[in-house]
Amino acid sequence: MTTKKITLNSDKRKVIADQFQSFYEDKVKDKLVQAKEHYDLMREKAKETINQVVRFHQPQKDVDTIRSMIQKYNRAGGELYEDNCFYVQRPITKVDDEGREYQANDEVHIRFNMGRKFARAYYRDELKAKGLNPDFHLSINDDYSKRNPKYYNDESQVNTYLGFSNSSNEDKSITKPVAKWEEDFKLWTIGSSYCHSRQFKVDENTLNFFKMYVASADNVIKEHQQMYSYVEDKMQKVRLGLKSYRTFDQAKALADKVGVVLNETMLNESSSLALSIYSPDNLASLLEDKEVLTRDQKIAIARQQMAENSLN
């Protein structure tokens, strides 16, 4: 008795590709995790160090004096700004092309807020768990002519979730990552809101430490880029292969050779998902719940529904 082979379609190929994607990401994601952990440690030390630097140049008693002057004379009393952006510098001697020495500054820009590329790298797992695409900017490889409606849709969804974009009808009780980072660390500084107008002189060791702090943030972005490049190189080949395969057996043979866990149950879960997720009980639950379900949550509901059906 022969068993009927499972014919692949676009949905089944997508399920299989997702398994390969997870497999290759798991092989290299530790480097991104470690980069984030290293940055977190450097950040805590950097907060302590910049506080010492700023308070050395601008003692708290001076800040308090200006605050009292502002209360008495308004803007004529001086300027204070609570900031998480700082510049530190050290005087150095440089030599020009003709061998003449001149004085310059070795400068570092220190930020405790969150840039967009860093945010997408740091919150990548969380974004993917929400069904969002944190890799959209990497997919075009700096070729902006490749931006299409999907690119802009992914960008909008990610920016909204992170907090780079906000709307008036959002739940204000939810603190988004951008706001969380903005409020995590700030120092009262004497001067205007223009960050570059405040230059704090430091010694060589302190300057080098801040260079390492900045590098730790850049490394999070770099590891995200390298992870994407590695996985995408593999997935381009996998997608081409899957496109040529007609049956599940062909995909299963490839998965077994590579080491990817793949079985028919995964396809069954995917094909039955639409039926189970919109059963009366589950649909009623979805209508009551404002939270957007992730793919894993939907599959969990599907599994539960299938288990209940098997008992009936």
Side-chain angles (χ1 to χ4, degrees), residues 31-48:
K31 290 184 177 180
L32 177 56
V33 172
Q34 291 167 7
K36 288 166 55 177
E37 290 175 347
H38 179 63
Y39 169 80
D40 288 340
L41 292 173
M42 293 292 290
R43 179 182 175 86
E44 293 307 308
K45 179 62 177 176
K47 288 193 289 189
E48 296 175 7

Side-chain angles (χ1 to χ4, degrees), residues 108-157:
V108 179
H109 181 199
I110 307 160
R111 297 173 53 184
F112 292 95
N113 58 357
M114 188 169 57
R116 297 185 184 225
K117 286 185 179 180
F118 178 88
R120 293 191 286 264
Y122 193 91
Y123 286 96
R124 185 178 188 275
D125 287 346
E126 187 172 319
L127 288 164
K128 286 180 70 69
K130 295 295 182 181
L132 305 178
N133 178 16
D135 306 329
F136 68 87
H137 63 296
L138 299 175
S139 66
I140 66 171
N141 195 27
D142 292 330
D143 183 354
Y144 293 103
S145 67
K146 294 181 179 179
R147 289 180 293 185
N148 54 28
K150 184 180 184 307
Y151 174 95
Y152 290 112
N153 184 59
D154 288 342
E155 180 183 41
S156 176
Q157 289 179 337

Side-chain angles (χ1 to χ4, degrees), residues 46 49-57 84-92 104-112 187 189 195-214:
T49 305
I50 196 63
N51 181 68
Q52 294 170 358
V53 169
V54 173
R55 291 286 77 91
F56 173 79
H57 291 283
N84 51 24
C85 166
F86 311 92
Y87 278 86
V88 297
Q89 63 177 212
R90 184 179 74 89
I92 58 173
N105 288 311
D106 192 0
E107 181 181 88
V108 179
H109 181 199
I110 307 160
R111 297 173 53 184
F112 292 95
L187 289 176
T189 57
C195 178
H196 205 203
S197 67
R198 301 185 301 273
Q199 300 280 349
F200 299 101
K201 286 185 169 56
V202 295
D203 59 31
E204 183 177 4
N205 288 337
T206 303
L207 190 79
N208 287 337
F209 166 76
F210 282 125
K211 287 182 179 180
M212 288 189 292
Y213 166 67
V214 172

Side-chain angles (χ1 to χ4, degrees), residues 7 11 16 26 39 75 83-84 110 128 146 153 161 165 192 199 201 209 225 246 249 264 268 280 294 308:
T7 302
D11 290 337
I16 294 169
D26 287 344
Y39 169 80
R75 293 189 63 182
D83 208 353
N84 51 24
I110 307 160
K128 286 180 70 69
K146 294 181 179 179
N153 184 59
Y161 180 82
S165 301
S192 69
Q199 300 280 349
K201 286 185 169 56
F209 166 76
Q225 294 170 333
R246 295 186 62 255
D249 290 345
E264 295 180 11
N268 293 335
T294 66
E308 292 173 354

